[in-house]
Amino acid sequence: MTKKQKKMLTRILAAAGGFVAVALLDHFGPALPAPYWPLYLIPYLIIGWDILWKALRNIAHGQVFDENFLMAIATVGALCIGEFPEAVFVMLFYQIGELFQAVAVGRSRRSIAALMDIRPDSANVEREGELLEVDPDEVEIGETIVIRPGERVPIDGVVLEGSSALNTAALTGESLPRDVAVGDDVISGCINLTGLLRVRTTKAFGESTVAKILDLVENSSTKKAKTEQFITRFARWYTPAVVIGALLLAVIPSLVTGEWAKWVEQALIFLVISCPCALVISVPLTFFGGIGGASRVGILVKGSNYLEALARAEVVVFDKTGTLTQGVFNVTATHPDQCDKARLLETAALAESYSTHPIARSLRDAYNREVDEGRIGNVAEIAGRGVKADIDGVTVYVGNDKLMEDIGVKWRPCHRVGTTVHVATGEAYLGHIVISDQVKPDAREAVAALKAAGVRKTVMLTGDSPAVGEAVGRELGLDEVHAGLLPADKVTQVEELLAGKSPKGALCFVGDGINDAPVLSRADVGVAMGALGSDAAIEAADVVLMDDKPSKLAKGVAIARKTLSIANQNIAFALGVKAVILLLGLLGKANMWAGAFADVGVMVIAVANATRTLKTSNDEKKGR
Amino acid sequence: MKKKFSIEVDCANCAQKMEDAVNKIQGVTATVSFMQQKLIVEADDERFEELMDQVVKACKRVEPDCEIQR
C-alpha cells in the first residue's frame, strides 16, 4: 500500500470504530434529554469530508455528475431525512471500495510492470581502453559493450568475444536458455547467464528490440477494444440518466402518494448506484490483464481491439515456409537399397563433403561426424547432376535422377515429398536420401489446438510446389492448401477468404514477417512470428509471437477468449445487479444497504474477477 | 510528435474524463491510460509546449487531484 492508501485505511478504521460506538450508544445507551443522532456526524465527517469538499470544488469547475457529487448528495440527503446510520455506512462503504480498487489496480499494474521490466538501466561501454557505465541511449552503433553474467543485454549487437547462455524468458516466455558464441547476434532484453560477453552494437538503443517491445506494450492502450469503447459510451449517458431518474422518482410518486420521505430515500438509492465505476474500472483492467498475461508467455498484442479480434478468430491462414515449417533443409528420410542406412548416409556425406550446396550441408549435418578426408579422393562436381567421388577406393555417384540416367544405373523414385538424392556406385544402386523442409515439431499440435478452440477453417498459403504444399497440409491436418502462389496471389487468396467468412468472425494471418507485410495488414489480425531479430515483423503485425512456435497462437486465442469472457461476465454482472436494484427502487422496495452493495460491492467483485486474467497465465506458467 | 507523460490519477472514471477533456483541445489527440498511469499526447511539434500547457489545464479542471509529470 502507498502512503496515501495507508492514511485512508486509518481513516476508515477510525470512522468504522466511531460508527459502531455511536450505533451501540444509540441502541443501548441511557435515554438522555438530547438525542444521540448528532454523534453520527463525527464518523460521517471523518470518512466523508474529502468527498464533500471535492464535490463542491468540482461543481465550481463545472463538473456536476461525478461520483463525489453523487455520494455527497446521496448521503447528505439521507442525513436530511433522518437516515443517519445509512448515511455513514454508505460513505464508509464507498471509501472502502475505493481503497480496495486502488490497491487491486495498483497490484495488477505492478505485476504487469514487473513482467515488462526488461528496460536495461545502463550499458558498460569500452571507450579508449576504459570501461564506462553509461545510459544505453548514449551508446552509438559500432561501439563495444561488455555484458557480465547476470546483466541484461542493453542493446542489440554481435558477439566479438566470449560465449554464454542467454535467458530469453522475458521476451519469449521460453525457459530454455539460448547459447551464443562469437559471431552470433544477441538481442537486447535477454539476461546473460554464464559468461562475460564483449559485443559490438549493431543498433542504437531506440531501435533495439527491447525499446521496440516496450514501446509496443506502452502504446497498446491507445487501441481500445469495442467492448471498452462501449463502456466509455455507456458511462457517458448512464450517470445522467440515473440522476434524472432519481429526480423523477423523488417527485412524481411523492406527489401522488404524499410519502415524500420514502420516495426521496428511493431516489437517493438511485444516486448511490449511479456511478458506473464497476464497469469503467473492471473492463479496461481485464483487457490490460489479458495483454499482460499474453506478453508473459511471449505473445505481444498491440491493442485490446486485436485481443478481441483474436478471440473471434474463425479462419486462420498460415504462411508455410518459416511459419509451419522450419525454413531449413534437413534429411527427412533415408531409403537404402543395397546397404544399411548408416552406410548410405555416410557415403553421401563423404562424397558431398567439399560442396557448399545447401543440400550437401544438410547431408553433412545429418551425418554429424568428423569427415576423414583420407577416405575421399577424386571429387568432381557434375553441374546440374551431382557429385562423383572415390570413397575408400570405390567410385560413387551422388545426385539427382539425371545423374543416375547418365551412369546407366536403374534407380527408384521416392514416394516422399522433397528433394531426392540418389547414391550409386558405378554399377549398383545403393539407395536414396530425401531432403526437405521440416515441419515444426509443434505445428500439428497448433492446428489441432486451434480447431479445438473453435477455429472453423485452417488454410495454408505457399509459394512452394503443390506436391510439397499438399503433403505438408495433409501432415498437419489443414483444411485448405493453396500452393504455387506469388506474394500478390496471397493477398488475393486472403481477400477471397475474407469474403467467405461470417461477418462476426475474424481472419487471422500468421506469417514470419518476411515478404508478407501486405497480407499481414489486410487480415483482421496479422500475426508475425519469430520476432526475435525481425523488426519488420514487429512493425507490420498486430500480434507478435516472440518465438517461432505456431502453437503459441492457440494459446493466444485461448487467452483472448478468456479475457473477453471475463469482461462480458463483469458487464453482465454489474449491469444486472444495478438493474435489479433500480427496479426495486422504482417499486419502492430498495434500501440504502442494497444500494451501497450494488455500487461498491459489485465493483469489488468485478475488479477481483478482472485480476483473474493475470493469475491464470501465472498458473499456466507453473504448470508447464 | 507523440510523447508519454507519467501521471497520477485515482479513479478510472476520472482518467476517462481527462481523456475526453484533452481530446476536445484543437490539434491534440490523447490517450489516458489509468492502468499504466500514462498520458500519451500526440500534437504538432512546433506548438507542442503551448498545447501541452492547455492539456495540463484541461486535466486540472476536470480532475484537480491529478498530477502530470512533464
Side-chain angles (χ1 to χ4, degrees):
Chain A
M1 275 196 220
T2 64
K3 227 171 155 186
K4 215 165 155 188
Q5 288 164 352
K6 277 193 185 129
K7 231 165 99 188
M8 197 62 220
L9 187 66
T10 321
R11 265 177 68 198
I12 288 172
L13 291 175
F19 176 52
V20 170
V22 175
L24 286 175
L25 255 184
D26 195 17
H27 281 99
F28 306 111
L32 293 184
Y36 280 113
W37 67 258
L39 288 177
Y40 278 116
L41 291 179
I42 299 170
Y44 177 74
L45 288 176
I46 292 178
I47 198 68
W49 64 268
D50 56 334
I51 304 283
L52 298 177
W53 163 239
K54 278 186 204 161
L56 283 175
R57 192 184 49 190
N58 288 355
I59 291 172
H61 287 200
Q63 288 289 310
V64 182
F65 290 133
D66 74 346
E67 65 277 17
N68 297 310
F69 170 76
L70 296 167
M71 279 297 145
I73 288 289
T75 55
V76 169
L79 291 176
C80 290
I81 57 170
E83 304 255 1
F84 303 104
E86 280 82 352
V88 181
F89 178 76
V90 166
M91 200 58 112
L92 193 61
F93 211 50
Y94 174 73
Q95 295 281 37
I96 292 172
E98 289 289 297
L99 180 66
F100 174 83
Q101 173 205 309
V103 172
V105 170
R107 187 165 295 164
S108 39
R109 193 168 59 220
R110 267 193 305 280
S111 80
I112 294 172
L115 188 87
M116 291 318 294
D117 185 22
I118 51 174
R119 185 185 294 283
D121 302 321
S122 63
N124 305 311
V125 61
E126 275 182 9
R127 281 180 189 155
E128 291 157 11
E130 268 184 89
L131 200 58
L132 302 171
E133 192 176 307
V134 300
D135 193 284
D137 263 331
E138 291 170 24
V139 179
E140 281 167 36
I141 298 173
E143 285 199 288
T144 304
I145 54 172
V146 173
I147 307 153
R148 301 186 192 97
E151 286 181 343
R152 206 174 274 286
V153 177
I155 300 164
D156 294 358
V158 179
V159 178
L160 290 178
E161 208 180 302
S163 66
S164 180
L166 296 183
N167 176 358
T168 63
L171 301 178
T172 62
E174 175 63 61
S175 49
L176 210 66
R178 179 164 157 155
D179 291 323
V180 290
V182 175
D184 286 343
D185 287 329
V186 290
I187 289 147
S188 51
C190 302
I191 297 171
N192 183 10
L193 292 177
T194 51
L196 186 83
L197 291 174
R198 281 181 75 230
V199 169
R200 194 185 67 238
T201 60
T202 50
K203 281 178 188 161
F205 176 69
E207 293 299 311
S208 281
T209 311
V210 67
K212 293 220 155 157
I213 290 170
L214 284 169
D215 197 50
L216 189 157
V217 172
E218 284 182 359
N219 282 321
S220 65
S221 56
T222 54
K223 291 184 185 115
K224 289 186 176 148
K226 278 208 187 93
T227 321
E228 278 181 280
Q229 285 166 359
F230 161 74
I231 291 307
T232 315
R233 274 202 308 274
F234 176 80
R236 235 170 257 158
W237 64 257
Y238 172 78
T239 304
V242 175
V243 171
I244 291 166
L247 208 64
L248 296 175
L249 193 63
V251 178
I252 297 172
S254 308
L255 286 177
V256 178
T257 63
E259 294 175 292
W260 282 89
K262 181 186 169 188
W263 293 106
V264 167
E265 193 199 339
Q266 297 299 327
L268 293 177
I269 294 162
F270 260 49
L271 291 184
V272 171
I273 56 178
S274 65
C275 178
C277 296
L279 295 172
V280 173
I281 180 69
S282 75
V283 172
L285 181 64
T286 308
F287 279 105
F288 191 64
I291 291 179
S295 60
R296 171 179 257 155
V297 291
I299 305 165
L300 298 185
V301 184
K302 281 193 182 173
S304 28
N305 54 340
Y306 300 121
L307 200 66
E308 200 172 37
L310 205 56
R312 289 187 289 116
E314 177 184 306
V315 181
V316 176
V317 184
F318 292 96
D319 188 29
K320 183 178 81 77
T321 310
T323 304
L324 289 174
T325 66
Q326 287 169 336
V328 185
F329 287 90
N330 274 312
V331 171
T332 47
T334 38
H335 294 153
D337 219 54
Q338 292 185 11
C339 61
D340 60 22
K341 276 191 178 187
R343 163 107 197 278
L344 182 69
L345 185 61
E346 185 183 63
T347 311
L350 290 177
E352 294 269 15
S353 60
Y354 290 108
S355 172
T356 52
H357 195 275
I359 287 179
R361 207 176 305 138
S362 49
L363 283 171
R364 284 200 299 273
D365 284 347
Y367 178 56
N368 199 20
R369 270 192 286 168
E370 207 61 46
V371 172
D372 179 3
E373 288 172 11
R375 296 169 65 189
I376 316 161
N378 293 330
V379 181
E381 290 219 22
I382 308 161
R385 300 282 191 274
V387 180
K388 176 188 154 202
D390 291 347
I391 309 289
D392 301 331
V394 182
T395 305
V396 295
Y397 297 86
V398 178
N400 56 14
D401 306 354
K402 286 181 199 147
L403 182 67
M404 296 296 114
E405 305 271 321
D406 288 355
I407 60 168
V409 167
K410 220 170 132 36
W411 56 278
R412 285 196 297 140
C414 188
H415 64 281
R416 292 290 285 258
V417 178
T419 310
T420 312
V421 180
H422 300 282
V423 183
T425 60
E427 50 278 346
Y429 182 60
L430 294 181
H432 55 246
I433 295 169
V434 182
I435 290 165
S436 59
D437 188 3
Q438 261 176 326
V439 161
K440 284 184 186 168
D442 65 332
R444 208 189 143 73
E445 172 201 337
V447 173
L450 283 171
K451 279 273 171 188
V455 170
R456 208 166 50 80
K457 204 191 301 184
T458 50
V459 183
M460 183 176 79
L461 305 181
T462 177
D464 219 330
S465 70
V468 174
E470 266 153 38
V472 171
R474 260 198 312 278
E475 189 180 343
L476 299 181
L478 292 158
D479 297 324
E480 268 182 42
V481 173
H482 299 277
L485 302 173
L486 297 171
D489 299 335
K490 290 189 184 176
V491 180
T492 326
Q493 284 291 346
V494 166
E495 297 273 1
E496 267 173 39
L497 288 164
L498 274 172
K501 72 173 175 60
S502 68
K504 270 203 160 173
L507 183 140
C508 184
F509 177 83
V510 193
D512 58 2
I514 301 165
N515 295 332
D516 45 17
V519 198
L520 280 175
S521 56
R522 190 64 196 83
D524 295 324
V525 192
V527 182
M529 184 173 270
L532 286 190
S534 163
D535 305 347
I538 301 187
E539 302 270 327
D542 309 319
V543 175
V544 180
L545 306 180
M546 293 304 290
D547 52 9
D548 43 16
K549 290 194 184 131
S551 56
K552 280 282 170 72
L553 182 70
K555 195 167 223 166
V557 171
I559 291 174
R561 291 255 160 98
K562 178 162 191 158
T563 306
L564 227 71
S565 89
I566 290 178
N568 289 335
Q569 282 163 20
N570 279 344
I571 292 173
F573 175 62
L575 290 186
V577 172
K578 291 204 178 199
V580 167
I581 306 288
L582 284 176
L583 204 68
L584 288 176
L586 279 177
L587 300 171
K589 295 253 192 293
N591 63 28
M592 263 311 183
W593 315 87
F597 171 76
D599 183 42
V600 181
V602 166
M603 181 186 75
V604 167
I605 293 169
V607 166
N609 193 21
T611 53
R612 284 201 302 139
T613 45
L614 267 177
K615 268 208 189 94
T616 24
S617 50
N618 243 346
D619 299 343
E620 269 163 18
K621 194 153 195 191
K622 264 181 230 142
R624 277 195 311 157
Chain B
M1 181 168 60
K2 211 174 193 177
K3 255 186 156 175
K4 277 186 230 115
F5 301 90
S6 285
I7 55 168
E8 242 176 72
V9 53
D10 288 335
C11 77
N13 214 6
C14 321
Q16 191 58 52
K17 279 191 295 191
M18 282 164 66
E19 185 175 302
D20 290 347
V22 173
N23 278 317
K24 283 204 185 106
I25 303 170
Q26 280 281 312
V28 179
T29 322
T31 315
V32 176
S33 167
F34 173 65
M35 261 5 117
Q36 299 177 53
Q37 298 276 310
K38 285 256 159 67
L39 165 69
I40 303 167
V41 178
E42 206 176 345
D44 211 26
D45 268 23
E46 281 147 41
R47 295 177 54 217
F48 199 89
E49 283 311 306
E50 174 206 334
L51 286 170
M52 201 49 212
D53 288 339
Q54 287 186 43
V55 167
V56 174
K57 227 163 132 192
C59 287
K60 287 278 177 196
R61 197 173 56 241
V62 293
E63 190 52 31
D65 287 333
C66 73
E67 297 281 340
I68 297 173
Q69 281 153 25
R70 296 180 68 177

